Amino acid sequence: MKRNIYLMYAMTFLQGMVFYGAIATLYRQSQGVTIFQITLIESISYALTIALEVPWGMVADRIGYKRTLVVCCWLYFLSKIIFWQASDFGGFLAERVLLSVVIAGLSGVDTSVLYLCAGPENSQHVFGVYNSLGMAGLLTASAVYTLFIGENYRLAGLLTVFSYGAAALLSLALTEVHPAPEKAEAREPFGATLRATLAAPGLLVFLIAVGLLTEVHQTVTVFLNQLQYERCGMGSTAIGAVYIAATLLGLCGVWSAAVTRRTGSRRAAVLFCLAPALACGLLAFTDRALLSVGGIWLLRVSDSLFQPFQAQLQNRQVQTTNRATALSIHAMILDCVAIGTNLVFGALAQWDLRLAFGFGAAVCLAALGLLAFWRRRTHLA
């Protein structure tokens, strides 16, 4: 079981090595893709992911988690080749379409493997290390970009292809932890899995809150941050250096379990909502580089601590043996939230970047209210 955990650690490190991460938006814009087109592609990707979530989850529970991970890792590798060669809206859309297949396939499978190998008591710590190693990979790639790549965006894309190819090779060494049942009649019907999943008290409210917080972090730290940095007059070298520091801060996810133990689950949930709300509010009202950088860093720290916390809570609410299917249902709900918020972010950013950040602050406060309601319905937090 430990072997699987260590292999998953190595794979997430390699898949974290996105060498164009610091300039992901600028990379696309250099090929003539606008910010609204970027968020439109993201929303199309989310919609396709929703359609594939449950079928992939059912397949994973039947063919086994190892086979699912292997297939998805190789498709991940192929998607990076397409991104490297993309030169227009259609190319980047094709990359995201394939990526949707991968995300739907991995959804719930990677965390299920870690959860089953680590056990409920150690899962939050393992999730924290797993997420932090992904950040460590991104940090390594960002350092290479800043020091050696610079304006050569295509080279950044090619190096990313190499790192994802190495991760795909490592996936072949995994061992199965949840083999498919030998007899078809032993399998729980999808209807029973769906009912058992949605029967968890307040689950829908919890997932909407998680989706809102996750999407604020994703949109702001991956796409809007670069526009804010340019608005503040920062150059490519400075953006790369700031991105490295932000990625380094993402390593703090390894302390997620310790933070929640010290503060308690209730206070931690409040903290994980108020911190990003404050960061977005700050970004909405400043055009100073130092304050903007501070806001982005605060978002990164908050999300890095929040993701292992919410991953543990999600897994604890699974009440069925078809864990991948249940978590795919969770992910489908999260993707529905992402589609709406992503389009709003894109439209507002196209109009006025400050409005997009203001929307992010409002979304975080809404998530706080939803989590407060969820706590009253369950004893899990």
Side-chain angles (χ1 to χ4, degrees):
M1 292 298 184
K2 286 187 176 180
R3 175 187 175 182
N4 275 349
I5 293 176
Y6 294 141
L7 282 170
M8 294 290 287
Y9 284 169
M11 288 161 58
T12 195
F13 176 81
L14 289 168
Q15 290 173 342
M17 295 181 71
V18 180
F19 291 87
Y20 58 81
I23 40 83
T25 300
L26 303 181
Y27 189 116
R28 293 171 172 89
Q29 287 183 326
S30 70
Q31 302 301 318
V33 182
T34 69
I35 184 62
F36 181 73
Q37 287 177 323
I38 290 171
T39 54
L40 177 61
I41 289 173
E42 290 288 301
S43 294
I44 293 172
S45 174
Y46 283 131
L48 183 57
T49 301
I50 290 172
L52 296 173
E53 282 285 2
V54 172
W56 251 126
M58 296 172 67
V59 168
D61 281 322
R62 283 156 177 73
I63 70 173
Y65 294 166
K66 175 186 174 177
R67 290 179 183 176
T68 304
L69 282 169
V70 169
V71 170
C72 290
C73 285
W74 283 97
L75 289 177
Y76 225 161
F77 173 46
L78 178 59
S79 76
K80 294 307 172 186
I81 295 176
I82 294 174
F83 185 94
W84 169 47
Q85 292 296 309
S87 59
D88 55 17
F89 176 85
F92 289 109
L93 176 61
E95 181 263 341
R96 293 301 298 186
V97 167
L98 184 56
L99 192 58
S100 299
V101 178
V102 174
I103 292 172
L106 291 178
S107 177
V109 175
D110 55 349
T111 56
S112 290
V113 169
L114 293 173
Y115 187 80
L116 293 171
C117 289
E121 297 301 321
N122 297 320
S123 61
Q124 186 176 352
H125 172 71
V126 170
F127 289 146
V129 175
Y130 182 70
N131 291 344
S132 294
L133 284 172
M135 287 292 126
L138 187 57
L139 174 64
T140 302
S142 300
V144 171
Y145 168 80
T146 301
L147 295 174
F148 304 108
I149 299 176
E151 301 295 330
N152 192 344
Y153 294 170
R154 287 295 185 185
L155 177 59
L158 177 60
L159 292 177
T160 304
V161 170
F162 292 153
S163 63
Y164 274 70
L169 289 172
L170 280 181
S171 71
L172 299 174
L174 291 168
T175 57
E176 187 58 80
V177 295
H178 187 66
E182 295 181 1
K183 297 181 179 180
E185 57 267 27
R187 298 169 182 164
E188 182 181 75
F190 172 70
T193 301
L194 179 63
R195 288 191 296 272
T197 300
L198 298 181
L203 176 66
L204 181 60
V205 172
F206 169 78
L207 292 176
I208 292 174
V210 169
L212 291 175
L213 291 173
T214 300
E215 188 59 21
V216 168
H217 172 266
Q218 169 72 9
T219 305
V220 174
T221 64
V222 175
F223 299 113
L224 302 186
N225 61 335
Q226 295 157 49
L227 303 181
Q228 176 71 1
Y229 293 153
E230 283 195 326
R231 177 177 167 230
C232 298
M234 296 172 60
S236 297
T237 301
I239 291 174
V242 167
Y243 191 81
I244 290 175
T247 305
L248 182 61
L249 290 173
L251 300 178
C252 70
V254 71
W255 294 301
S256 176
V259 170
T260 53
R261 278 197 304 267
R262 180 176 292 273
T263 63
S265 294
R266 178 176 298 184
R267 290 180 180 176
V270 173
L271 176 64
F272 296 147
C273 293
L274 291 182
L278 175 62
C280 287
L282 180 63
L283 291 168
F285 288 102
T286 187
D287 58 359
R288 295 187 178 183
L290 185 60
L291 292 177
S292 297
V293 169
I296 298 298
W297 286 356
L298 180 57
L299 263 174
R300 178 54 60 88
V301 170
S302 176
D303 186 74
S304 298
L305 295 173
F306 173 67
Q307 290 303 325
F309 172 69
Q310 69 86 13
Q312 182 201 43
L313 291 177
Q314 270 199 68
N315 275 275
R316 287 171 62 185
Q317 292 179 87
V318 174
Q319 304 296 323
T320 172
T321 56
N322 289 337
R323 178 170 293 274
T325 303
L327 290 174
S328 289
I329 294 171
H330 290 191
M332 185 172 63
I333 297 171
L334 294 173
D335 290 338
C336 287
V337 175
I339 289 176
T341 54
N342 198 57
L343 284 173
V344 174
F345 267 121
L348 291 176
Q350 191 85 359
W351 188 14
D352 189 327
L353 190 58
R354 294 170 296 181
L355 293 177
F357 291 132
F359 173 69
V363 162
C364 293
L365 294 177
L368 176 60
L370 291 171
L371 287 178
F373 175 81
W374 173 73
R375 285 199 307 269
R376 291 195 292 268
R377 296 287 307 278
T378 178
H379 63 280
L380 288 176

